[in-house]
Amino acid sequence: MMKSNLYTEVKNGSSPVNISDIPVLDYGRFSEEVCTMLTEERFHCLSYFCYPAGEVMKFICCIADDGSGTFRILSHEQTGSAPLLSLTAKVYSMHIFEREISENHGVMFEDHPWLKPVRYPHYRADRQSVMDNYPFYEIEGEELHEVGVGPVHAGVIEPGHFRFICNGEKVLHLEIQLGYQHRGIERLFVDNRAGLRNALLLESEAGDGMRRALLAEDIAGDSAVSHGLAHAQLTESLALFEPPASLQAERCIALELERIAVHIGDTAALCGDVAYQLGQVACEALRTMVINTTQYWCGNRFGKGLIRPGGTNFPVTELIAGEILTVLEEVDRRYSNVVDCVYTLPSVLGRFEDIGVITRAQAISIGAVGMAARTCGVPRDIRATHPFQQYRQTPVTAVMQESGDVLARGRLRALEVKESVKIIRRLIDEWRKQSVESGQPRYNLAYRPDSLAISVTEGWRGEICHVAVTDHKGRLMVYKIKDPSMHNWMALALAVRNQEISDFPVCNKSFNLSYCGHDL
Amino acid sequence: MLKEIKILSDHGKQFVPDLRNQPVSERFRGRPVISADITSVQVRSAATLCPTGAIDSSSGAIDLGRCAFCNECALAMPEVYRFTNDYRIAAARRENLIIKPGQNGPLRIDDASVRKEVRRLFRRSLKLRQVSAGGDNSCEMELGASGNVNFDMGRYGIEFVASPRHADGIVITGPVSENMAGALEISYDATPAPKVIILVGTDAISGGLFAGSPALKRDFIESHHIDLYVPGNPAHPLTFINGVMDLLGI
């Protein structure tokens, strides 16, 4: 941990920070520092939130420095309800955080250009604000019309509302209204009474730790491993627990398997959207092989039950490692043949090339992360820049594309699957060298009091950030979750501008963002 | 052309020929078996352990409608609790999801618990509209997979359709968030009668880990007749398809 008089600096998954050690800046200084940092490309904001701390509202901002591989934590405190000058007016990527703060706590930002509801949480400050009166952007014009889609969509997917303003077939503007999936999950992490089905659980601290581990896997079921790992790493950080190397390797193997499975499934869906049936069915079958391997390992096709704080109920055995390697060899070979076909077929390329383009400048301005950033030349991959778990010993290089279109997002998946297969082979080699077993889960880890911990993982969509603050007894007081979709939904909205509205489905699928991960 | 032929030959035949008896991996957690000799001390500690309160604190029975299939009870007390890989665990009556100590037979839907018109009208063709209401996208993906090249439930005329207007019923996933409750109601109303309601996943059946969260509004579930409960976290495609086949009497 490094200290300056402006911020505290930590590494990903390192020991927690004493709350009292984080410098408290006055708002003017805070705003200047944050905005100066964020104009440089190597910085981006991981999380910005506030919580009531006695008489004051305490604001915490975590910024990732990709250059030095550290996180900078800044803070400011406010009393009373005077409006603040928004950071968004200067740095657009802060829009989502300020909107969230405003919605949850009623804090006003004076010159925020887009201060709209985020997800209508049950604890929102303004109860008058409801799903039905979302303030959609409107354009007047006789030649324009609006198209509303959702919340229930044609496919078997999650709910969200898309409001297009079109000129003929061309989309001028898309606004995405979310919140339908809100389950109050952040509160359920902290308040073990609000959503507690089993009152008996309160009798044991361990029981509640177990409940939270399960809850983390339900934040977004398609990223059960990524979110589960962000949570496990966070609790271990709060408890100053260093997981054995074998466990770290096993977790990374699970994370890469999740990435491979979803990327192949998305390739199937992209093919399906442009009616290329061979690509679709071939990839569906390959995805089944991968998730059935995860099921062979832990009994669940999505890896639920696998990631736990302090250990695991399903340690890798030589048998499991062998199965993973055998299946991946076959999948790698067959998937290479399929994508070789898909991405050279003129009828597919015609639907993917130059469609739904996000420019590098746009990606930076909205703070895009993960795949969405990497497809337009912005190298954001937490595994490479802020390595965690076994990635610290087994380095990863970010896979990149430049063109920012649907094709780039498709190709990136193909390349990442190949890369992940290689990473898993290296991880299994590392795992085989370890003699210490991965150990049983520890649900009763004691958290350090008055501390803040931050944990970031790279799921298949992008960076997942969990932040926790403990009170003077070491109980969780604040639990903040950020799914990469929080940033990247705006990328979809920008991608469809000036596109045919009929290209929306393929654009949407190419990002495949999370509704529940956003709505929490 | 040669590339396509190569893909096709690698692909081979992917469909599961017998959806009733497809082997799944040993570790898959399906129907639990609870020892008949469970002691009151064991009941108490199991009930204390269970994160969703699925284990009854007086009998030790597991309610599959609440179970998150996390396996923690079986790991803590392997001599008492055990999950088999029997995936046929759907039920037409809520109470049939409760597995009592000593119970170790297949779970089957008895004909009397199915409404007459369901089998008469939908046996050869059942079109469904899926509504996710706070689902975490794992059940949704498994429902999507139910129609894929492997599981292919379309062979029995069971399919998801794009509009509730074209559907014979709705399939609900997720614990039913308040923010989605209105749209769920509208989707149901837009489905022509007679219609069925199917709940898929522990979250939909009981709220799961989210039960009691102020963000939920489960009035719809509580005020309608449910035709089929499909437990799981998420429900396996084979659990869903077999449940629907049993419901239809296929």
Side-chain angles (χ1 to χ4, degrees):
Chain A
M1 189 173 77
M2 295 225 342
K3 282 163 88 171
S4 88
N5 53 358
L6 295 169
Y7 52 80
T8 304
E9 207 164 17
V10 291
K11 290 257 185 197
N12 192 6
S14 65
S15 39
V17 181
N18 286 327
I19 288 287
S20 54
D21 286 348
I22 304 169
V24 179
L25 309 180
D26 77 82
Y27 187 68
R29 190 65 206 267
F30 169 86
S31 171
E32 191 189 319
E33 279 305 314
V34 169
C35 293
T36 312
M37 275 184 223
L38 292 179
T39 46
E40 275 188 68
E41 217 179 284
R42 67 184 172 110
F43 293 104
H44 70 278
C45 184
L46 294 168
S47 190
Y48 178 38
F49 60 94
C50 69
Y51 63 94
E55 298 296 297
V56 300
M57 191 60 98
K58 195 168 181 71
F59 291 70
I60 303 276
C61 185
C62 307
I63 291 178
D65 177 354
D66 293 349
S68 68
T70 54
F71 302 149
R72 294 181 178 182
I73 307 168
L74 299 87
S75 79
H76 67 90
E77 290 178 352
Q78 302 299 322
T79 47
S81 58
L84 298 170
L85 280 169
S86 94
L87 305 173
T88 308
K90 294 183 193 123
V91 180
Y92 186 66
S93 60
M94 294 302 286
H95 81 103
I96 193 76
F97 297 114
E98 290 191 331
R99 284 166 62 187
E100 188 187 43
I101 288 170
S102 182
E103 182 175 48
N104 292 356
H105 299 281
V107 176
M108 288 311 293
F109 293 97
E110 232 165 32
D111 48 352
H112 193 296
W114 202 252
L115 200 57
K116 299 200 180 199
V118 176
R119 63 172 76 89
Y120 299 89
H122 68 85
Y123 42 81
R124 60 191 178 270
D126 178 9
R127 294 298 302 182
Q128 305 301 314
S129 167
V130 290
M131 296 298 290
D132 290 342
N133 62 14
Y134 181 90
F136 284 103
Y137 182 73
E138 287 173 358
I139 309 178
E140 296 285 326
E142 279 197 10
E143 295 185 355
L144 305 181
H145 68 278
E146 287 190 359
V147 181
V149 182
V152 180
H153 299 275
V156 183
I157 60 165
E158 297 176 72
H161 182 85
F162 301 96
R163 184 72 60 95
F164 300 88
I165 301 175
C166 300
N167 182 4
E169 301 278 299
K170 199 201 251 182
V171 178
L172 293 185
H173 178 81
L174 163 62
E175 188 158 1
I176 303 167
Q177 181 198 7
L178 299 170
Y180 296 96
Q181 297 286 67
H182 175 68
R183 300 151 291 171
I185 208 160
E186 287 183 336
R187 287 289 165 98
L188 294 179
F189 271 98
V190 176
D191 183 357
N192 58 7
R193 277 158 219 278
L196 197 62
R197 180 43 117 0
N198 186 359
L200 291 171
L201 260 194
L202 292 175
E203 292 177 12
S204 69
E205 276 295 309
D208 207 39
M210 183 200 295
R211 182 187 67 92
R212 286 196 292 266
L214 263 75
L215 203 52
E217 296 179 326
D218 281 4
I219 294 168
D222 54 33
S223 304
V225 173
S226 321
H227 273 288
L229 181 52
H231 171 75
Q233 189 170 275
L234 186 74
T235 56
E236 287 163 7
S237 162
L238 279 172
L240 304 167
F241 175 88
E242 176 69 14
S246 53
L247 180 63
Q248 297 191 27
E250 291 176 15
R251 287 168 166 181
C252 295
I253 295 168
L255 197 64
E256 297 305 327
L257 273 179
E258 184 175 81
R259 190 182 324 276
I260 293 170
V262 179
H263 280 359
I264 295 178
D266 282 350
T267 312
L270 280 168
C271 291
D273 268 2
V274 298
Y276 180 45
Q277 215 188 4
L278 180 66
Q280 182 191 346
V281 295
C283 288
E284 278 176 359
L286 292 171
R287 170 182 176 259
T288 305
M289 286 170 72
V290 180
I291 59 177
N292 281 356
T293 307
T294 305
Q295 178 176 260
Y296 174 78
W297 176 1
C298 72
N300 187 291
R301 306 213 303 166
F302 292 78
K304 287 188 181 182
L306 183 56
I307 307 293
R308 291 289 179 265
T312 179
N313 288 322
F314 300 101
V316 174
T317 60
E318 198 44 59
L319 206 62
I320 291 168
E323 176 74 11
I324 292 172
L325 290 172
T326 312
V327 171
L328 286 187
E329 187 166 345
E330 174 76 0
V331 168
D332 186 28
R333 184 182 65 80
R334 281 166 57 181
Y335 182 67
S336 296
N337 290 339
V338 178
V339 293
D340 186 30
C341 210
V342 173
Y343 297 120
T344 51
L345 202 65
S347 57
V348 171
L349 293 179
R351 292 291 315 275
F352 288 178
E353 229 169 347
D354 292 329
I355 300 297
V357 177
I358 288 289
T359 64
R360 185 183 160 81
Q362 281 176 323
I364 289 168
S365 90
I366 62 168
V369 295
M371 269 204 304
R374 294 198 291 277
T375 48
C376 42
V378 183
R380 284 185 185 155
D381 185 331
I382 294 295
R383 293 173 299 169
T385 53
H386 305 268
F388 50 97
Q389 306 287 318
Q390 186 63 29
Y391 299 119
R392 283 173 291 200
Q393 282 77 41
T394 313
V396 170
T397 325
V399 175
M400 300 296 296
Q401 289 283 292
E402 303 294 329
S403 58
D405 52 2
V406 173
L407 182 63
R409 292 187 283 275
R411 278 200 173 133
L412 188 86
R413 287 177 166 92
L415 294 170
E416 287 199 344
V417 167
K418 272 208 120 24
E419 194 59 34
S420 289
V421 171
K422 286 186 204 147
I423 295 169
I424 288 181
R425 287 188 186 129
R426 289 207 297 272
L427 287 166
I428 288 180
D429 285 345
E430 286 300 315
W431 170 82
R432 281 184 171 140
K433 288 183 204 151
Q434 306 303 327
S435 51
V436 182
E437 286 188 2
S438 42
Q440 292 291 308
R442 295 167 190 239
Y443 297 120
N444 55 352
L445 290 172
Y447 303 158
R448 209 174 74 175
D450 292 318
S451 301
L452 176 142
I454 174 166
S455 154
V456 189
T457 61
E458 184 76 19
W460 58 270
R461 279 191 186 93
E463 69 182 37
I464 285 170
C465 174
H466 288 208
V467 185
V469 180
T470 56
D471 67 8
H472 65 285
K473 285 187 171 167
R475 292 172 304 200
L476 286 180
M477 187 163 70
V478 180
Y479 200 94
K480 284 304 295 175
I481 300 159
K482 190 208 65 185
D483 191 88
S485 311
M486 285 277 285
H487 303 284
N488 291 354
W489 276 113
M490 188 56 87
L492 172 62
L494 295 178
V496 298
R497 282 192 185 170
N498 295 316
Q499 298 292 302
E500 299 287 307
I501 191 168
S502 52
D503 279 328
F504 173 71
V506 76
C507 289
N508 189 19
K509 185 44 79 181
S510 72
F511 286 99
N512 193 9
L513 300 172
S514 178
Y515 302 76
C516 55
H518 175 279
D519 293 347
L520 300 173
Chain B
M1 189 63 193
L2 282 174
K3 281 197 244 172
E4 275 94 341
I5 292 169
K6 173 80 179 119
I7 292 171
L8 275 173
S9 83
D10 278 345
H11 186 66
K13 280 187 181 154
Q14 288 291 336
F15 76 102
V16 172
D18 183 0
L19 293 166
R20 295 296 201 187
N21 299 296
Q22 169 71 3
V24 294
S25 62
E26 293 267 318
R27 284 184 171 177
F28 172 75
R29 295 180 285 283
R31 179 174 54 82
V33 177
I34 309 161
S35 164
D37 306 325
I38 188 169
T39 65
S40 58
V41 176
Q42 286 168 327
V43 167
R44 173 83 188 167
S45 69
T48 308
L49 183 80
C50 181
T52 52
I55 297 179
D56 186 73
S57 58
S58 54
S59 70
I62 295 184
D63 178 355
L64 294 182
R66 285 182 173 193
C67 181
F69 296 85
C70 67
N71 207 34
E72 295 287 349
C73 55
L75 288 161
M77 282 171 271
E79 69 287 359
V80 182
Y81 289 95
R82 179 168 68 87
F83 282 86
T84 71
N85 64 352
D86 177 3
Y87 52 77
R88 291 182 66 178
I89 50 175
R93 287 206 181 105
R94 181 70 181 84
E95 62 269 25
N96 291 351
L97 293 178
I98 296 168
I99 309 291
K100 299 179 186 69
Q103 179 181 341
N104 187 8
L107 294 178
R108 295 293 179 262
I109 290 174
D110 74 289
D111 297 350
S113 58
V114 180
R115 287 187 289 142
K116 287 272 179 306
E117 73 240 42
V118 171
R119 287 189 174 169
R120 185 165 51 82
L121 291 167
F122 305 135
R123 192 180 171 128
R124 284 157 186 273
S125 163
L126 179 69
K127 306 297 169 206
L128 297 163
R129 177 59 247 171
Q130 204 274 321
V131 180
S132 169
D136 75 357
N137 203 26
S138 57
C139 269
E140 290 78 356
M141 286 176 85
E142 289 298 51
L143 290 174
S146 300
N148 75 8
V149 65
N150 304 107
F151 298 107
D152 185 27
M153 64 178 177
R155 71 181 94 170
Y156 295 108
I158 310 163
E159 267 178 345
F160 287 105
V161 291
S163 166
R165 300 251 188 247
H166 307 155
D168 305 311
I170 57 168
V171 176
I172 303 169
T173 53
V176 190
S177 53
E178 184 181 5
N179 292 350
M180 193 55 197
L184 170 61
E185 194 91 44
I186 293 170
S187 300
Y188 178 74
D189 289 345
T191 309
K195 49 193 163 185
V196 297
I197 302 178
I198 301 175
L199 302 183
V200 174
T202 295
D203 290 352
I205 299 172
S206 68
L209 276 173
F210 304 101
S213 166
L216 305 189
K217 190 167 187 284
R218 292 179 54 80
D219 303 11
F220 179 88
I221 306 281
E222 279 143 29
S223 59
H224 286 81
H225 171 79
I226 306 299
D227 291 285
L228 186 67
Y229 299 89
V230 186
N233 179 30
H236 196 283
L238 289 168
T239 308
F240 176 72
I241 300 171
N242 276 279
V244 177
M245 286 170 74
D246 289 347
L247 178 75
L248 300 179
I250 295 171

